[in-house]
Amino acid sequence: MKVLSRERYQEARRFIQSHGRDLEAAVLTEDAHGIIQALAPYQNEDGGFGNGLESDIRLPHSSAIATSVALQHLKEIDTYDQADTMIQKAVVYLERTFDQQRQGWFAVPPEVNDYPHAFWWSVHENGQSWIDANWGNPSAELIGYLLRYRTYTESLPVDQLIDQAIGHFLSLEAFESEHELYCYRRLFTMHPELYSEPCRNQMKRAVEQVIVRNEEQWKNYVPFPLKFKPAPQSLDVGLTDQDVQQNLDYFVDALEKETHITPPWTWQKTKMPGLRPKKNGKAFSP
């Protein structure tokens, strides 16, 4: 097992603190008040989050995907009154923007096209982005937040939506989107009582289908092991200790060489209708 040297660890921390946003700096130091203060400017009057919180979307208006990003942070500090207030407002936004026909949310509104954004967020003539091809991203995760904060949920049938989310997950035979699986992992992490044996078996089958174990590919935008097992206490998704350790060693080696790892994607554009987006030359599954 490789261990990152203290010197490189401190250099990486300094890089985040000097180059990252206030949010990332606060998350790094586990500063709850700092996280709240950093998130506040991203929340709009309607309760949703926007204003570039999801960095690939410069849209100032609220979106379901940006709101999911905010709630990932807020749920970790929801014992603080200010965080709880922000969550209540976000739930109001989610109820108001719930699409009855979809029985969920579209990731971004059409207005995203009027602002700088990565092309995979572009909303097409059918009212959907590439992300929306996979229902669970972010709807499954957002339903998980409604269940967690159901005392603030007034107009949506939470139990029915949970049954729907689980049913959708169990019905999948092919897994086209690792991001949809990330959303389900967050749902089951928030509500381990829902991680029944059928769900666990399905998740293991899904992860095995999409996981990339080839170390040569980890420099690209791929679902490597730590994406599914980010912490020792994370859900059992069928990965072995060797899977996780090899992935950790890879990033230790990378950070011993550099103080940071550059994200492996760019805002490339395509004018080919129906062409699935790519990141670093690799097929991108939203």
Side-chain angles (χ1 to χ4, degrees):
M1 180 179 71
K2 298 181 179 180
V3 178
L4 186 66
S5 66
R6 179 169 294 276
E7 177 184 2
R8 280 304 195 183
Y9 171 71
Q10 294 297 343
E11 288 178 357
R13 285 177 63 94
R14 285 193 291 271
F15 183 89
I16 293 173
Q17 290 170 327
S18 61
H19 292 81
R21 300 178 295 187
D22 291 343
L23 175 60
E24 281 73 35
V27 170
L28 177 68
T29 58
E30 300 182 336
D31 177 5
H33 291 292
I35 293 172
I36 292 168
Q37 292 175 355
L39 281 174
Y42 295 104
Q43 190 166 33
N44 291 315
E45 288 295 322
D46 61 7
F49 287 79
N51 302 295
L53 178 57
E54 163 54 66
S55 300
D56 278 346
I57 306 168
R58 311 314 296 176
L59 173 74
H61 309 313
S62 300
S63 68
I65 199 73
T67 302
S68 75
V69 173
L71 288 170
Q72 289 167 24
H73 296 293
L74 289 170
K75 74 176 178 60
E76 300 296 332
I77 54 174
D78 59 8
T79 56
Y80 290 82
D81 289 343
Q82 288 176 286
D84 186 62
T85 298
M86 296 171 78
I87 290 168
Q88 290 184 51
K89 293 178 179 178
V91 170
V92 170
Y93 166 77
L94 292 176
E95 290 199 290
R96 186 180 63 79
T97 56
F98 181 81
D99 187 274
Q100 290 291 342
Q101 183 174 356
R102 184 173 177 80
Q103 284 295 288
W105 295 262
F106 293 103
V108 291
E111 291 84 359
V112 73
N113 292 344
D114 299 329
Y115 299 88
H117 61 278
F119 68 84
W120 46 88
W121 294 109
S122 294
V123 173
H124 307 131
E125 291 182 1
N126 64 358
Q128 300 184 27
S129 67
W130 273 300
I131 307 302
D132 296 314
N134 302 104
W135 176 88
N137 180 20
S139 290
E141 179 180 345
L142 292 175
I143 290 169
Y145 295 124
L146 293 184
L147 178 59
R148 183 180 177 99
Y149 304 110
R150 68 183 307 158
T151 56
Y152 304 143
T153 306
E154 298 180 354
S155 63
L156 293 178
V158 177
D159 292 331
Q160 179 181 321
L161 292 175
I162 284 291
D163 289 343
Q164 173 185 302
I166 298 299
H168 172 78
F169 180 63
L170 293 177
S171 72
L172 294 173
E173 296 182 1
F175 304 94
E176 299 178 350
S177 169
E178 64 266 28
H179 292 272
E180 185 174 37
L181 297 180
Y182 301 155
C183 289
Y184 272 101
R185 183 184 64 78
R186 296 186 188 106
L187 167 64
F188 291 131
T189 298
M190 280 190 282
H191 306 287
E193 72 279 4
L194 299 176
Y195 201 44
S196 62
E197 183 175 355
C199 289
R200 187 178 300 108
N201 291 338
Q202 180 77 324
M203 181 65 79
K204 290 179 179 180
R205 189 170 74 88
V207 170
E208 190 61 33
Q209 190 175 121
V210 305
I211 196 75
V212 174
R213 291 188 172 89
N214 183 351
E215 185 172 327
E216 293 299 317
Q217 295 297 321
W218 290 345
K219 63 180 181 296
N220 298 319
Y221 192 83
V222 297
F224 47 74
L226 290 176
K227 291 285 189 177
F228 293 103
K229 190 77 172 176
Q233 68 273 21
S234 297
L235 289 178
D236 174 17
V237 296
L239 295 176
T240 67
D241 290 343
Q242 182 179 355
D243 288 327
V244 175
Q245 193 58 62
Q246 183 182 1
N247 207 187
L248 284 169
D249 288 348
Y250 171 86
F251 285 109
V252 168
D253 287 341
L255 287 172
E256 286 292 353
K257 296 175 182 177
E258 302 287 345
T259 57
H260 66 282
I261 298 171
T262 302
W265 64 83
T266 59
W267 286 14
Q268 299 164 337
K269 295 182 178 180
T270 176
K271 297 182 180 180
M272 295 292 290
L275 181 66
R276 292 185 61 79
K278 295 179 181 295
K279 287 188 174 183
N280 248 26
K282 300 297 178 181
F284 167 55
S285 299

